[in-house]
Amino acid sequence: MAGFVDQAQLHARAGDGGAGAVSWRREAHVDRGGPDGGDGGHGGDVWLVASVNQSSLLGFRDHPFRRATDGGHGSGQKKHGARGKDIVVPVPVGTVVRDADGAVQCDLAGDGDRFLIAEGGQGGRGNARFLSNRRRAPAFAEQGEKGQERWLDMELKLMADVALVGFPNAGKSTLISTVSAAKPKIADYPFTTLVPHLGVVRVGGVRDGTEFVMADIPGLVEGAAAGKGLGDRFLRHIERARVLVVLIDLDPQAVHTPAEQLRILLGELGDYQAALLERPRIIVGSKQDLSDTGTTNGATADADAAAGAGAGAGGIECDLVLSAATGEGVQPLVDRLAVLVQEVRAAAAVEATGAVVIHRPVPEGVDVQRLSPGAWRVVGRVAERAVAFSDLNDVGALDEAVKRLRRLGVDRALARAGVRDGDEVTVGSMTFVWGEQ
């Protein structure tokens, strides 16, 4: 998986809404034609969509910017501006999106899941929309609303059926290259694998066989859950795996005995996320070809174990013992994983709804902030939208803005915040003195 990137930033910029038009009907033989200004078009939205065709966040590393187009302005004869085009940004399945404060915005865990990451600005209404029995000649229109703009952090948690867990140089890369078409770098030194690799494993025929995805996770060391050796980044890719294969190095030259390896690996899984210890797992002894068949750090490995019957190793009981280099014991492991994956998938299918999830941000409310003694600001898209007129010096526009703010409860929110007569209040582009509005 060359060029694999599992963390990246995204700058999403939605389109601005178009401005409403101030226009009057002017035709021959039409006396005192009324307002006919059209509305502005809405700005385009920015959507994130989980896709199985994306395998990493590489495309965001050097180019994090994604922008939708603006809406068109309204014009005379009640012609509305065109709506801006939405932009759909594909991301890998398993992408978690967080805002600048670290709060999770969405978890795109299924193919086709969507998230509205930045909402386009609403188009302003033309002066024809403000015609009423009391207001016969409105000379104002709404400005288009600015589209949302935000920076977000994205991280990828791989979606795999099986994850290989073990110490560095335990034989994980050799195993996945043997059972699939994955070609990770293989060498006889620790930390050869620095990024996860995925491989597709097929058992049986095309029609009646089983196919599952196996992930080769970089090696873990003691203290991985606390971040040692980038372990916390590697453990993230184990979270979604259906089945865990804990690979124990049986090489007599290994730094830790098999019993110590198992204790440390299970301890790190539990420290990172306790639920991982409840995940179905298979304990596998690796590098049988390098071990002493009589004693391997106090272990025994008989022929039945290689065939899948299980054997003791270093004081622990392995479900299987194999040698990926010679192929001995590999097929029994694959067959066993295929059955286990099918069982877990069947259980998950009962719980799953099968529906595509569409995430939308929670609508913003109105908030009152104190800038300084005697100075206040009202923030919130709905409040700013209420005063977004082309000419607030127009009596009709100012009257409409005040009515909207009252309907939103801004006056009550200011009173609760402690505003006093004579204080200066700012809402969007409008500033007024409290008590005189």
Side-chain angles (χ1 to χ4, degrees), residues 412-426:
R412 295 190 298 274
L414 286 167
R416 287 194 299 269
V419 66
R420 299 180 179 180
D421 289 349
D423 287 356
E424 189 177 83
V425 179
T426 300

Side-chain angles (χ1 to χ4, degrees), residues 131-172:
L131 177 66
S132 66
N133 290 332
R134 293 181 55 217
R135 188 187 294 126
R136 303 306 301 169
F140 61 90
E142 287 180 330
Q143 295 286 359
E145 183 184 24
K146 292 289 186 181
Q148 287 185 324
E149 182 177 6
R150 55 197 312 203
W151 278 99
L152 298 119
D153 295 317
M154 298 189 298
E155 65 176 26
L156 174 60
K157 298 179 181 179
L158 288 179
M159 306 290 289
D161 296 299
V162 177
L164 302 179
V165 182
F167 272 77
N169 207 33
K172 300 182 298 297

